Amino acid sequence: MPSATGSDPGKLPFVVWVLAAGTFLMGTTEFVIAGLLPEMAADLNVSVSHAGLLITAFAVGMIVGGPTMALATLRLPQRRTLVLALAVFALGHVVAALSGSFTVVLAARVVTALATGAFWAVGFVIATTAAGPGNSTRAVGVMMGGLTLANVIGVPIGSFVGQYTGWRGPFWALAALSALAATVIGRFIPTAEKRAEMLVRAEFRALRQKRLWLALGAAVLIMGGIMATYTYIAPLLTDRAGIPTGIVPLVLIAFGIGALGGTAIGGRLGDRRPMTTTITAATAAALVLVLLIPLSDGPVTAVALIFLMALTGFSVNPVVTSLVVRFAGDAPTLASALTTSAYNTGVAVGSALAGRALASSLGLTGPALVGAVFTALTLLPLIALAIRGAHPTPPTMAQPACPPPGEHQSETLAATAPLQR
């Protein structure tokens, strides 16, 4: 069995890559619906706008369900929680694929979102613990890279397959692949790994960390800023930049590649220089979004800036996610689940405000302006974190591990102090 520990500072344990495969499947199911809405609406006898509730229901399920499922499964062994989450995930797709009722499909989407929230909450804890103190942010970056890769590969393939097999085809494929993932995870999560005997009170006590809420606030704002712009990127490209409609999917792939690169950069640099990485990336993302407002009238500059928006914005995500888990100390599960809620809250609020801006006198550049404001505001909690110190000891399954001495003392000084409770 591949090592489950992060003893080799240059190599991540295999279990992290297995978990990334799980997030790839769950990211695909979250976003593939957008490309299948017309077919699903026609088959389920509802309007396209009504079918859009399938996307909303999943987001709400993630916001509410992540923390709820984290608490509900707190006393279960981690491996069992992951396997059960993937089994429920697969079952939800089977039920949806077999049903001709919109209500049933909607309910299946909510159940699938609950399973996704449980998987992410536990998966992030396992990944950071297995990777060790020196690689924890990189491990989170790899897991989040699975989600980003879903947008680059999984969603286009799912949409393409759905055009030929009907919308049920991708649902059957996701059910089969998630069942396979459950088998693999059951094999590679170490059998000796056990959940700490934590009470619900301990999980809530961990939330007293003010730094934890600063990191969650940064997660809401950075995701709100990037997704506010991305949600309405198609009309900006076609009506302002003059890009043909048929080319838009290629631009979206460029966005996905930028997001994947940003996630990798944040994961690589965030363990050694967490605040330098996040503050620099957020500043760059805000600048890119400001430039997008006047320079989006040209196709070349628009595409380049959209790529840079993803590259810079997504560099923040793995770092703040890893910090949330670390700030929670030995009770990280609920805090990990809250990061999923934070990102989905950012998506919901950012896209809603961007929609209002698009309909206002700001027009096509309104969403980019909303995104620039959100991204600039991300600097407030990040700077506050830099002032307070943002490098506590990550959780372990037994005793907290002391972080290794590093050459960047200015950013790791806070590690020598006990966590505030």
Side-chain angles (χ1 to χ4, degrees):
M1 179 185 298
S3 172
T5 67
S7 57
D8 184 352
K11 185 177 180 182
L12 290 176
F14 182 68
V15 67
V16 175
W17 300 97
V18 174
L19 291 169
T23 61
F24 171 82
L25 293 176
M26 293 177 172
T28 299
T29 202
E30 180 173 5
F31 299 115
V32 76
I33 293 292
L36 302 174
L37 275 184
E39 292 80 5
M40 297 185 73
D43 188 52
L44 299 173
N45 297 315
V46 297
S47 66
V48 173
S49 60
H50 195 61
L53 290 174
L54 295 172
I55 299 174
T56 305
F58 196 96
V60 172
M62 288 285 287
I63 292 171
V64 177
T68 302
M69 294 307 297
L71 292 175
T73 61
L74 190 59
R75 294 183 181 276
L76 291 178
Q78 288 177 323
R79 180 171 68 173
R80 185 181 303 173
T81 299
L82 294 180
V83 172
L84 285 175
L86 283 167
V88 173
F89 183 86
L91 181 61
H93 284 81
V94 170
V95 170
L98 290 174
S99 176
S101 166
F102 177 79
T103 302
V104 172
V105 176
L106 186 68
R109 287 284 290 175
V110 173
V111 171
T112 301
L114 295 176
T116 302
F119 183 93
W120 278 44
V122 176
F124 280 137
V125 175
I126 292 177
T128 55
T129 301
N135 283 325
S136 60
T137 303
R138 184 183 169 202
V140 171
V142 169
M143 272 195 68
M144 298 187 76
L147 176 64
T148 307
L149 197 62
N151 284 294
V152 180
I153 298 177
V155 172
I157 290 178
S159 299
F160 179 78
V161 170
Q163 304 303 316
Y164 290 91
T165 65
W167 67 268
R168 300 175 196 273
F171 273 64
W172 284 114
L174 286 166
L177 290 173
S178 55
L180 176 63
T183 303
V184 175
I185 282 179
R187 168 70 175 85
F188 286 103
I189 296 293
T191 55
E193 187 176 348
K194 297 180 180 179
R195 300 295 294 272
E197 291 298 324
M198 289 291 177
L199 299 175
V200 173
R201 290 194 302 273
E203 293 287 334
F204 280 104
R205 278 200 301 270
L207 302 185
R208 295 177 183 176
Q209 277 278 350
K210 294 180 179 178
R211 291 178 296 177
L212 184 150
W213 290 103
L214 289 172
L216 287 174
V220 172
L221 290 167
I222 192 65
M223 187 58 70
I226 300 303
M227 295 309 293
T229 309
Y230 179 75
T231 300
Y232 297 100
I233 205 68
L236 182 74
L237 293 172
T238 55
D239 298 343
R240 181 169 170 81
I243 295 176
T245 303
I247 305 298
V248 170
L250 297 179
V251 180
L252 299 185
I253 291 176
F255 173 89
I257 294 173
L260 188 62
T263 302
I265 291 171
R268 283 282 184 177
L269 301 179
D271 282 310
R272 292 181 299 167
R273 296 182 178 269
M275 301 322 303
T276 299
T277 300
T278 51
I279 291 174
T280 301
T283 302
L287 178 61
V288 167
L289 285 166
V290 169
L291 291 175
L292 188 62
I293 297 171
L295 299 180
S296 57
D297 56 352
V300 175
T301 53
V303 173
L305 288 171
I306 288 168
F307 171 80
L308 290 174
M309 174 183 73
L311 184 71
T312 54
F314 277 80
S315 296
V316 178
N317 295 349
V319 186
V320 294
T321 301
S322 179
L323 288 176
V324 167
V325 174
R326 294 179 185 185
F327 290 146
D330 289 323
T333 306
L334 179 57
S336 175
L338 287 174
T339 61
T340 302
S341 298
Y343 288 130
N344 281 276
T345 300
V347 171
V349 175
S351 60
L353 292 178
R356 289 180 175 271
L358 180 67
S360 73
S361 59
L362 295 171
L364 294 171
T365 58
L369 178 60
V370 172
V373 172
F374 265 68
T375 308
L377 289 174
T378 307
L379 292 170
L380 296 179
L382 291 178
I383 292 172
L385 274 175
I387 294 172
R388 297 178 67 91
H391 220 320
T393 303
T396 64
M397 299 312 298
Q399 296 295 325
C402 293
E407 50 185 312
H408 310 292
Q409 297 296 329
S410 62
E411 291 192 2
T412 59
L413 184 60
T416 61
L419 291 174
Q420 300 174 6
R421 293 294 183 187

